Each structure stands twice: as C-alpha cells, then as structure tokens.
Amino acid sequence: VRRGVLALALLACSREPAPSRVPPPVATAPAPGSPRSCLAHPVGSEPAVRCWVEWLAAPALAGRAPGTPGGETARAGIEAVLRDLSLDPAGDRDTYTQALPRGASVLAQVVGRDPARSDEVVVVGAHYDHLGGEHLGADDNASGVAVLLELARALAKDPPARSVLIAAFDAEEPPAYRTPAMGSQRWVDFPTLPRAQVVAMLAMDLMGGNLWPGERTPLYVMGRETLVADGAPPLAGDGLTVEAMHLRLVEDLPSGRQAFSDHGAFFAAKIPVLFFSTGRSPHYHRITDTPDTLDHPKLAAEVAVVEAHLRWLADLPARPAWRADPPVLAADAAALARMLAAGARGSAELRGLASEVVRADLARMRALSAVAPETPLDEAAAREVIAASLRAQCLLVPDDEVPTAACLVL
Ligand SMILES: [Zn+2]
C-alpha cells in the first residue's frame, strides 16, 4: 500500500500542466490524498478510516513529531476538517488550538442539543503525534484519530444532549509523556472550558491492531468501573469482539499506577474515563507500524462501539458519578483468561518456563472466573489477576528489550 501511495505521489509531481484549453474547475474539490478528501467516504466506513490513516501515516508527514513540519501539517489538516464540519473552536482564545511547549492540540466542540445539559461536556480524545522520522505511527495513533474524526462527523450531523469536546491531543509520546508538556495533561492543567463541566473523558490509542498475528483480538474498553451510570451499551460490535477490562489490569505496575495514554490526566483529576484500545501489536513503536499492517475492517467497526459509549454518556438524564475505589470483578479474570488462551495459541515462540507460567495463569484465571461475572474479587485475588495480566502482557507481546526472566518476577 505504501509503495502504491509513493508511486502516485511521484506520478503527480512529474505530470505536465494540463493543456490550456481545459477550463479551470468552478468548485474547488479537495485534492485526492488531502485530509478533506476523506469526507467523501460514508461516515464510519472502512474507506473513510483507511483514508485518515493513510493521510496521517504517509511518509510526507514524517511521523508527526510535535513541532516538526509533519506535525504541523497534521495539525492544520485536522483543524481544516473540524472547520469543514462547522464545529465550534474550543482551544485558547476562540481558536481551534492549545499551544504546548512543543506542538499544539486541536480542540473543537459539538454543542449539545439540550439547553439544560449543553453546559456539560463529554471529552473524546486521541493523540495525533508520533515518534517521527521513520516511525510513521499508523496504529499509534493515526488509528485513534481516524475514529475521532469519524465520531466528529457523526456528532456534527446528530448532536447528543450534552456537548462533546473533540480533542486531537499533541505531544503524548516521549519525551512529553507524563510531563506537564503532554497535550492532555496541559488541557487538564489549563482547561479551555471550566473543568467542573466535564462529566467523562474517552481516550483512544492503538485502535487498529491485533495482539498476535493470525488472532482477531478484541477491542478493550477499560475504565467502565470508574463511573456509576445506568444503561451501559452492549459489549459487541459488527463482527468485532469487545471486552470490558478494569484499568488496574493494565495500569497497576509494581512501580505504582501509570496510565498509558491521554485518559491518565483526567483520571488523576477524578473524572470518569473510558480507555479504548486494541493493545500493543507486534508493530508497536517499530518502523513496521504502517497503514498496510492495520486491521481496517476492525477499525471501521469500532466507530459504532465508541459512538454508542459516547452517546450513552452524553445523553444520560443525570451526569455519571465518579467511583472512587471500584473492585476487580470475576469478569476481569474471565477476560484475561480469554486473552491468555489466545496468546498461547498466537505466540509461537512461547516455550519452557514461560509457557508453563502462562498455562498456570490461565488455569487460575478460569478458576477465579467460575462465578457470576459481576462478583467482586477480594484484594488478594484482585492482585493475582493484576500480576497475571502484567505477566501476560510481558510474556506474550514480543519486546526485545524485556527478557523473559524479568516478566516472570512480576
Ligand atoms: Zn499512542
């Protein structure tokens, strides 16, 4: 796919000017390959999400590092699209941007249709920056921005009761990660609308991958435990498996709690969060994270799942409440058991002690989940599930930097 795009770009550059007899077009249609051309595809469709990913992860944008020309091209393109959708500016001083020490986040607002609730806001965000250079970041996180822009299109046509802040955050990746210079942290520290009006935050990061080759792994919805509200949407998508998982299974590291994306700053401010991700594929932070390695049908199917969660929160009669100390559930052990089983099938090189550990963890997770899914686990069992989850992520997701022995002591 990349070679095809390159060939087209070369063709376009080498083409002679059109003969003068052809009259200039009256309306200026967006050029193919420009972000606005993606708006020609049906909302939430596979061609639409593919179009956003191929634009953002094109070699021309050079991996979108904050403050670079490629990052600026991405910022300008996202802003142009949000303007085309007639969304209100929601950045600093009536602009669409919030400046950062390096780079700028893009912010627009869909005004809620219920005057009684339109002061309240659901934030939906995805970071558009990546590492830069040869790292093009298709899954990380052109995929999340693709879903974000499709949500913006759907909401612009049919706004929910509450307002929605569309946030394309900059500077999520290192070195800004978990510092005041991170785009999402900056917004929480210097919000462009009163922070007390934010009822919930949805983050999307790594949305188009599969954890193991040959396995269609789920979309994980983490953080539903952080909010108290009725009528959660079903965990199902069109041809897509969706799993709920407690954030602690991913974030409770031996060194302390650590959020892996833009929801972290909001969570720390006690705002309910949902974190959508397909997890780290084998291409994570490698130069092979290119558009052709993404599961585009899965990515397209995710739009409806995230939209259902967003509309649920934006249309609730009463604003959802923050839950301070939610328990890990038997359902979390069950979700982990399914991940371990798929990982054991998908990880060809898993052998020796590592394979025994995975088998033992799988058996234990099945035992813990042999009760009603909503059963809360006691803290000792919760810690077992969290430790097994960390081992699974360490052992089953290939990473040259982490030796197997280091995973086994988790
Ligand atoms: Zn990311």
Side-chain angles (χ1 to χ4, degrees):
V1 172
R2 282 179 65 204
R3 203 172 299 142
V5 169
L6 270 175
L8 275 177
L10 288 173
L11 257 175
C13 295
S14 60
R15 199 193 290 158
E16 292 294 313
S20 57
R21 282 183 58 201
V22 178
V26 178
T28 52
S34 79
R36 285 155 137 175
S37 71
C38 300
L39 295 171
H41 300 294
V43 178
S45 66
E46 188 186 330
V49 293
R50 188 187 285 270
C51 185
W52 299 121
V53 169
E54 288 183 348
W55 164 58
L56 284 163
L61 270 63
R64 312 179 304 282
T68 63
E72 170 54 22
T73 303
R75 185 208 59 73
I78 294 167
E79 178 177 334
V81 167
L82 297 175
R83 273 179 197 277
D84 274 11
L85 294 172
S86 302
L87 302 190
D88 289 356
D92 287 330
R93 295 176 304 279
D94 281 327
T95 69
Y96 286 90
T97 55
Q98 179 172 50
L100 306 174
R102 271 188 92 80
S105 298
V106 189
L107 301 152
Q109 186 169 217
V110 179
V111 178
R113 66 176 149 66
D114 177 6
R117 284 177 285 175
S118 62
D119 271 359
E120 296 179 346
V121 181
V122 178
V123 178
V124 58
H127 75 87
Y128 72 89
D129 65 304
H130 191 60
L131 301 167
E134 282 187 277
H135 290 86
L136 300 178
D139 195 22
D140 189 9
N141 184 29
S143 65
V145 177
V147 177
L148 182 72
L149 293 175
E150 290 306 296
L151 292 171
R153 296 176 72 191
L155 297 171
K157 261 201 263 179
D158 181 14
R162 290 189 178 81
S163 296
V164 175
L165 179 71
I166 307 284
F169 290 117
D170 202 355
E172 189 270 351
E173 297 283 1
Y177 176 62
R178 298 182 75 220
T179 74
M182 185 178 180
S184 50
Q185 182 67 56
R186 180 82 174 183
W187 195 90
V188 170
D189 293 342
F190 300 96
T192 56
L193 52 86
R195 214 175 67 190
Q197 294 176 5
V198 177
V199 307
M201 191 273 180
L202 283 64
M204 299 176 286
D205 202 349
L206 307 172
M207 297 288 280
N210 287 305
L211 293 172
W212 300 285
E215 288 281 335
R216 192 98 186 287
T217 51
L219 170 67
Y220 290 97
V221 185
M222 291 161 279
R224 295 222 293 194
E225 71 281 358
T226 66
L227 56 90
V228 186
D230 292 330
L235 293 168
D238 186 12
L240 175 72
T241 309
V242 186
E243 295 261 28
M245 197 176 261
H246 199 299
L247 272 172
R248 284 186 69 193
L249 266 64
V250 185
E251 298 187 342
D252 264 5
L253 305 183
S255 52
R257 189 149 184 165
Q258 177 177 332
F260 285 100
S261 191
D262 294 309
H263 61 285
F266 292 82
F267 178 86
K270 295 188 165 38
I271 292 167
V273 295
L274 294 178
F275 176 33
F276 295 85
S277 183
T278 51
R280 293 182 179 183
S281 81
H283 306 288
Y284 174 74
H285 281 199
R286 294 182 179 197
I287 59 171
T288 56
D289 182 7
T290 51
D292 53 300
T293 63
L294 262 57
D295 186 336
H296 291 279
K298 179 174 168 175
L299 184 58
E302 287 166 7
V303 176
V305 176
V306 183
E307 185 179 349
H309 282 80
L310 184 52
R311 288 191 186 276
W312 164 49
L313 295 168
D315 286 329
L316 275 172
R319 64 183 286 175
W322 163 258
R323 177 153 31 202
D325 213 0
V328 173
L329 304 178
D332 294 304
L336 184 58
R338 286 188 287 272
M339 183 198 277
L340 284 162
R345 283 197 301 274
S347 304
E349 310 99 277
L350 197 66
R351 56 174 83 87
L353 190 51
S355 128
E356 279 172 41
V357 166
V358 167
R359 264 208 306 277
D361 282 343
L362 178 55
R364 183 65 183 139
M365 291 309 109
R366 282 181 173 152
L368 285 174
S369 55
V371 287
E374 294 306 307
T375 309
L377 302 182
D378 64 32
E379 188 55 26
R383 285 186 187 286
E384 278 190 70
V385 177
I386 292 161
S389 172
L390 297 181
R391 278 194 295 272
Q393 293 167 62
C394 192
L395 286 170
L396 298 176
V397 179
D399 185 341
D400 305 334
E401 288 159 34
V402 184
T404 303
C407 303
L408 296 178
V409 299
L410 282 169

